[in-house]
Each structure stands twice: as C-alpha cells, then as structure tokens.
Amino acid sequence: MNTNPLKQYFRRPSIYIKLPSGGNYYPEGAIDLPDNKEIPIYPMTAIDEITSKTPDALFNGIAVIEIIKSCVPNIKDPWAIPSIDLDAILISIRAATNGNMLDVESVCPSCSEDASYNINLVGLLSKLKPEYEDVIKINELTIKFKPLSYKKVNEINLVQFEIEKTIRNIETITDGEERLQISTQAMKKLTELSMTLITETIDSISTPTEIVMEKEHINDFLRNSDKNTFDILKNTAIKLRESSQLKPLQVKCIHCQHEYEQTLTLNVTDFFD
C-alpha cells in the first residue's frame, strides 16, 4: 500500500503530561511510558466526537475507552488505567482538543445569580496530586492498597446505578410486604457493593509468614475482622479515593463578591464540547 501523501498533515500531539500515578499501578504491557514519563496527548477526531455523544457507549464506558485509545496511544489498555489518572487524562484530552480554558456555569448560593467562569485546565492538572499512602500496619498485618482500575470503577458504577434505580422505584410499589422485601434486598446489595469496593482497593495483606493477594481471602478477612480493623481499612480506602478526585473550584461571585466552592464533575457527554 502506498504511503498517504497527506500523512504529514495528520493530527499531532498538542500537549504532554506526567500522570499523577507516575506510571505506577499499570499491569505489564498496559502503558508505554517514555523515559521522561511524559506521555503525548492528541486532540480528538470527528469520530471521537461522535463516540462521545453515543448514549450506550457512554453508559457502559466504551466511549471513554475508545477516546483514550485514539488520543492517548501510549496507553495500550485504557481499562487498566488506575482511577488516580483518569481525571488527568480526560482533562488533558479536553485541553488538547478545545484549548486550555473551560467555561463552567455556576449559581451563587448567596445571591442566586447565575454566571459563567473560565477555568484554567492546566491549573486543574497541577492540583491533581493524590496523597496516596498505599501501605498501613495493623498489629502484625501490613496492608497494601492500590487505586481501582477504570474497568473496576465502571463495573461498580453500573451496579450502583441499578441499585439506586431500584431504590427510586420502591415508592411506586403499593404492596407493603413486596416493598419491604425489595428494600431489604437493595440494602444488602449496597452492603455487598461496599465490601467489594474495599476488597478491590486492597492489593495485598502481609502476615509475619506470607503475603495474601487472593481476593476471596481478603474479602473473607474483611467479613470476619473486628469492627475497629474494618473501620480503619474502610476509612483508608475512602481517603485514598477522595485524594484522587477533583477538588471543588474556588469561585468568587461576579455579582455579590461572595466566595464559595463549586463542584466540578467530568461528564463525558458535554465535557468535550
């Protein structure tokens, strides 16, 4: 096949970023990390934009996977991306495609006036520095944590969505016994989901004689540990997850000068507009 004479006009990387994880927590072969640890980010194509508007692909995570494959070719397996890198990657793709500034609509909680504010995406990237303390000790045990992969995050989100949908529909059930039964089942599923989340966040538990990595053993340990031990592990998992999330934006109302925090959520449906 002849070389395309238009190849020299193909898109090129717009920016280069260092991942918050430093390239750690990726399985072997999931990422091609340069020596300087800076990976190139390409702008989206027209096909990528169509993908970002496809409802089914957005719901099951395929849209995000395909966009990352296209725009961040150094990541060979986007499903394996650790959660602490995902926001940085999405923000970088947005910046590479549509520029460094993002307009955010916000309503002031003091005067209730609506306004649009320009957010510097490079500034957001500089703040994504997870305080990831991945090892703690409890008596004779050494527990090593890890961020969830995007695949696991997506699976958990889908289950949580179905549970929440069930809970929302409970009020429409007129039969009291049926409503109680469905409500009890939903609560059990939420408890199981919470247990799964903590289990998947634990990479290994080391005893004085061996290292345990089997998920079924770790899950069994969580179910049979004392409350104090479980609470330490649960709170550590929550802390690590929160450390990787975008911090609220500091906004000063242009109408009344009131300063407040505005949550920024990366919604793939409109984030790339």
Side-chain angles (χ1 to χ4, degrees):
M1 184 176 180
N2 294 332
T3 301
N4 189 341
L6 298 175
K7 188 174 182 179
Q8 61 179 313
Y9 301 103
F10 287 5
R11 60 180 176 152
R12 297 181 180 182
S14 294
I15 59 176
Y16 291 78
I17 67 164
K18 289 187 177 181
L19 298 169
S21 70
N24 298 317
Y25 307 109
Y26 287 82
E28 184 176 353
I31 185 172
D32 180 13
L33 193 66
D35 291 339
N36 64 2
K37 296 190 175 182
E38 292 188 352
I39 60 173
I41 309 294
Y42 288 74
M44 290 169 59
T45 64
I47 295 175
D48 295 333
E49 184 174 5
I50 293 172
T51 301
S52 73
K53 306 298 181 184
T54 307
D56 287 345
L58 288 169
F59 182 74
N60 59 26
I62 296 299
V64 173
I65 292 300
E66 293 303 319
I67 291 170
I68 292 175
K69 283 182 179 179
S70 170
C71 299
V72 196
N74 283 63
I75 296 180
K76 306 304 180 182
D77 181 8
W79 284 120
I81 293 172
S83 57
I84 57 177
D85 283 349
L86 188 60
D87 282 350
I89 290 169
L90 294 179
I91 289 172
S92 300
I93 294 173
R94 170 53 169 81
T97 303
N98 293 332
N100 188 40
M101 303 307 294
L102 174 68
D103 289 335
V104 175
E105 296 292 326
S106 179
V107 177
C108 176
S110 179
C111 68
S112 300
E113 291 289 340
D114 188 7
S116 179
Y117 299 89
N118 287 328
I119 305 302
N120 186 304
L121 294 177
V122 171
L124 283 181
L125 284 174
S126 66
K127 296 177 181 179
L128 288 174
K129 297 178 180 178
E131 299 173 3
Y132 209 90
E133 180 184 350
D134 60 356
V135 175
I136 64 170
K137 289 183 177 294
I138 302 178
N139 299 323
E140 293 185 337
L141 300 178
T142 300
I143 298 94
K144 183 178 180 181
F145 291 81
K146 66 176 181 180
L148 296 175
S149 67
Y150 175 60
K151 182 177 179 62
K152 188 56 63 176
V153 168
N154 190 65
E155 289 174 355
I156 290 174
N157 287 343
L158 290 176
V159 174
Q160 183 174 355
F161 174 82
E162 292 301 324
I163 295 173
E164 291 175 348
K165 185 170 69 172
T166 298
I167 293 175
R168 287 195 301 270
N169 292 335
I170 286 177
E171 293 302 320
T172 64
I173 301 174
T174 56
D175 184 88
E177 184 175 344
E178 182 183 0
R179 186 165 60 244
L180 176 61
Q181 181 181 7
I182 293 176
S183 177
T184 301
Q185 291 174 349
M187 291 303 103
K188 286 183 178 179
K189 288 181 179 179
L190 278 175
T191 300
E192 287 297 321
L193 187 64
S194 176
M195 194 67 68
T196 298
L197 183 60
I198 301 171
T199 300
E200 293 295 334
T201 306
I202 295 175
D203 182 58
S204 64
I205 300 178
S206 299
T207 72
T209 59
E210 59 184 309
I211 299 175
V212 180
M213 301 185 71
E214 292 82 1
K215 293 302 179 185
E216 61 270 25
H217 295 332
I218 294 174
N219 188 275
D220 193 30
F221 167 73
L222 291 173
R223 294 176 184 277
N224 292 283
S225 61
D226 62 80
K227 182 179 182 301
N228 288 338
T229 297
F230 179 81
D231 285 346
I232 291 172
L233 297 175
K234 180 184 72 174
N235 292 335
T236 301
I238 292 173
K239 174 187 173 185
L240 295 176
R241 186 169 70 253
E242 290 178 346
S243 76
S244 65
Q245 296 174 341
L246 281 172
K247 303 300 183 288
L249 302 173
Q250 301 299 317
V251 177
K252 185 174 183 179
C253 179
I254 61 175
H255 300 285
C256 70
Q257 307 305 305
H258 175 67
E259 296 183 4
Y260 63 98
E261 292 186 342
Q262 170 65 48
T263 301
L264 176 62
T265 302
L266 300 187
N267 184 347
V268 180
T269 307
D270 52 23
F271 183 65
F272 295 108
D273 286 346

